Amino acid sequence: MRKTLATFMAAGLMVGGVAACGDSGSGGGDDKITLGFSQVGAESGWRTANTKSIQDSAKEAGITLKFSDAQQKQENQIKAIRSFIQQKVDVIAFSPVVESGWETVLKEAKDAKIPVVLTDRAIDSEDTSLYETFLGSDFVEEGRNAGKWLIEDSKDATETVNIVELQGTAGSAPAIDRQDGFAEVIKDDPKLQIIASQTGDFTRAKGKEVMQAFLKAHQDIDVLYAHNDDMALGAIQAIEEAGLKPGTDIKIISVDGVEDAFKAMVKGQINVVVECNPLLGPQLMDIVKKVANGEETPKRIVTEEGVFTQDQAAEALPNREY
Ligand code: GYE
C-alpha cells in the first residue's frame, strides 16, 4: 500500500523555543528570512530531487537561500556552516554527510544564536539542544521493510539464501540505519545469510564497481540488498555484464524509489523498492519560518513512506514525482 503524503509525527516537543534572531538577518534590510543550506552533494537521483525541492520551495516561500554543495565531504559542510554563521543568516539547515563530529561547529552556531535544522540525515550527538528539529525518514524502518520483504519472499526456500549488501556512505545515518534495520529482521530466519557487505558510497559508479568485485569473489549470490537505487542501478549493469539476469538470477532489493528504479522494476530487474521521500522542501520551509519566528517545532518530524513491489511498479510509475 502506498502512503503518498508526507505526514507529521511529533516525537516530543522541544523545550524553550528559539532565541530571537530578527536582529541577525542578512536579508538586505528587509524582512525576508535568509536560510543557509549545506547539502551533502550530488551523489544520487534522490539527492538531485531533494536539492530541487529545497530550491523550488525556498523560492515559493519567499526565503532567500544560500545553497552550498559539500561534495560528500564533512570538512566542506563544516566550512559552509562557519561561513553561514559569519554571514549571520537567520537559520542554518543541513543534511549531515556523516553522523558524528558536529558538536564544535554546532556549538558555534548556538553561541551565535542561529537556529539549526537537520534535514534528511541525523547526527549522533547526545546534545539535542544543538538543533531545533530533525526532519527526515526513519531509515531503520526502511531497513526493516527491506528485510521483511525478503523473509516473505524466501519463506519456501529450502537452502541458504546468500545476500550481498551494497552499503551507503560509511558513517552516514542512512547506511548505518538501513544496515541495522535489515539485520534486525533477517536474523529471525537462519537461511538468510549476508556473505559480503561493502560501501558503494550511494553512487552508480561505485555500486557497479563493488558488485563486480562481489561477483568475482562469490559464485552463488542469490540476493542484492542495495542501500539506494543508484547503487542498485550500477549493480544491474555489473550483473548483466557477468551474463546473469538481474531480478531473476539475483533478486534485488533497493531503497529510495527514484523514477529509474521504477523503470527497472517494470523491466523485472529490481524486485522491490522501499520508498524514501526526498521532497522535503515544503516542510523544511515551514519549519524555517517557524524557528525564525521563535516558534516551537516538534523535535522530530518523520516522513511516511511505502514499499513497492514489481507487480505495483507499472501502475505507480506515471505518478512518481521524483
Ligand atoms: O537514500 C541516497 C542519498 O540521505 C536518504 O542519500 C538520503 C540518502 C539516499 O544519496 O540515495
Side-chain angles (χ1 to χ4, degrees):
M1 263 303 279
R2 179 166 188 215
K3 296 175 196 144
T4 23
L5 283 185
T7 52
F8 294 88
M9 201 181 89
L13 286 181
M14 64 167 274
V15 204
V18 180
C21 53
D23 57 346
S24 62
S26 64
D30 56 28
D31 284 341
K32 253 182 127 177
I33 297 168
T34 299
L35 167 67
F37 186 85
S38 168
Q39 180 60 292
V40 166
E43 74 282 4
S44 64
W46 190 101
R47 190 65 53 196
T48 308
N50 180 247
T51 294
K52 188 173 182 308
S53 169
I54 287 162
Q55 289 171 334
D56 289 353
S57 22
K59 210 179 246 171
E60 180 102 336
I63 290 173
T64 305
L65 178 66
K66 291 178 187 284
F67 184 89
S68 172
D69 176 339
Q71 299 179 319
Q72 297 239 68
K73 292 206 176 76
Q74 182 172 34
E75 61 196 89
N76 291 343
Q77 286 199 300
I78 292 175
K79 270 188 211 149
I81 294 169
R82 292 214 164 106
S83 144
F84 294 147
I85 297 172
Q86 253 170 14
Q87 295 172 62
K88 296 186 169 34
V89 299
D90 297 305
V91 181
I92 292 171
F94 79 116
S95 175
V97 59
V98 289
E99 276 192 346
S100 56
W102 298 103
E103 271 89 356
T104 309
V105 72
L106 293 187
K107 270 183 195 132
E108 290 166 23
K110 195 179 171 187
D111 290 346
K113 297 191 168 30
I114 301 176
V116 171
V117 175
L118 303 179
T119 79
D120 156 35
R121 297 185 184 178
I123 61 172
D124 63 5
S125 175
E126 302 272 291
D127 184 358
T128 56
S129 78
L130 293 176
Y131 58 92
E132 303 306 317
T133 182
F134 164 40
L135 164 69
S137 308
D138 182 340
F139 300 136
V140 179
E141 193 57 24
E142 290 171 354
R144 286 190 195 116
N145 285 335
K148 281 178 194 161
W149 180 85
L150 187 56
I151 294 239
E152 178 58 27
D153 189 68
S154 325
K155 67 174 190 290
D156 297 328
T158 46
E159 286 169 30
T160 308
V161 176
N162 290 326
I163 306 160
V164 294
E165 181 178 27
L166 273 171
Q167 299 195 351
T169 301
S172 72
I176 295 167
D177 293 352
R178 286 172 187 165
Q179 176 182 23
D180 287 353
F182 186 73
E184 175 197 309
V185 167
I186 65 158
K187 79 170 178 331
D188 289 342
D189 185 344
K191 280 196 313 277
L192 306 180
Q193 291 296 330
I194 298 178
I195 55 167
S197 191
Q198 201 177 311
T199 180
D201 215 10
F202 281 132
T203 67
R204 278 190 202 208
K206 289 214 179 122
K208 181 175 179 183
E209 205 179 292
V210 177
M211 191 67 209
Q212 281 169 335
F214 284 162
L215 287 162
K216 256 193 206 144
H218 305 276
Q219 310 307 312
D220 47 359
I221 302 170
D222 299 306
V223 174
L224 162 68
Y225 169 41
H227 287 189
N228 85 339
D229 290 340
D230 287 77
M231 294 190 295
L233 292 162
I236 285 172
Q237 289 176 22
I239 294 168
E240 283 181 331
E241 284 169 20
L244 296 169
K245 231 179 146 199
T248 309
D249 295 327
I250 297 180
K251 292 196 175 168
I252 301 184
I253 306 169
S254 183
V255 187
D256 277 355
V258 299
E259 198 182 359
D260 282 352
F262 270 80
K263 287 185 181 155
M265 261 205 290
V266 172
K267 285 197 251 167
Q269 297 169 320
I270 293 180
N271 302 76
V272 61
V273 166
V274 176
E275 187 181 35
C276 178
N277 188 355
L279 307 179
L280 304 177
Q283 277 169 289
L284 175 61
M285 297 312 146
D286 285 348
I287 295 167
V288 165
K289 282 184 192 163
K290 279 197 180 131
V291 299
N293 288 328
E295 284 172 41
E296 287 192 0
T297 57
K299 197 82 203 181
R300 175 78 171 104
I301 300 169
V302 184
T303 45
E304 213 171 281
E305 290 142 353
V307 174
F308 294 87
T309 48
Q310 254 177 19
D311 52 319
Q312 300 165 311
E315 203 191 323
L317 180 57
N319 303 322
R320 298 301 295 166
E321 289 178 85
Y322 58 93

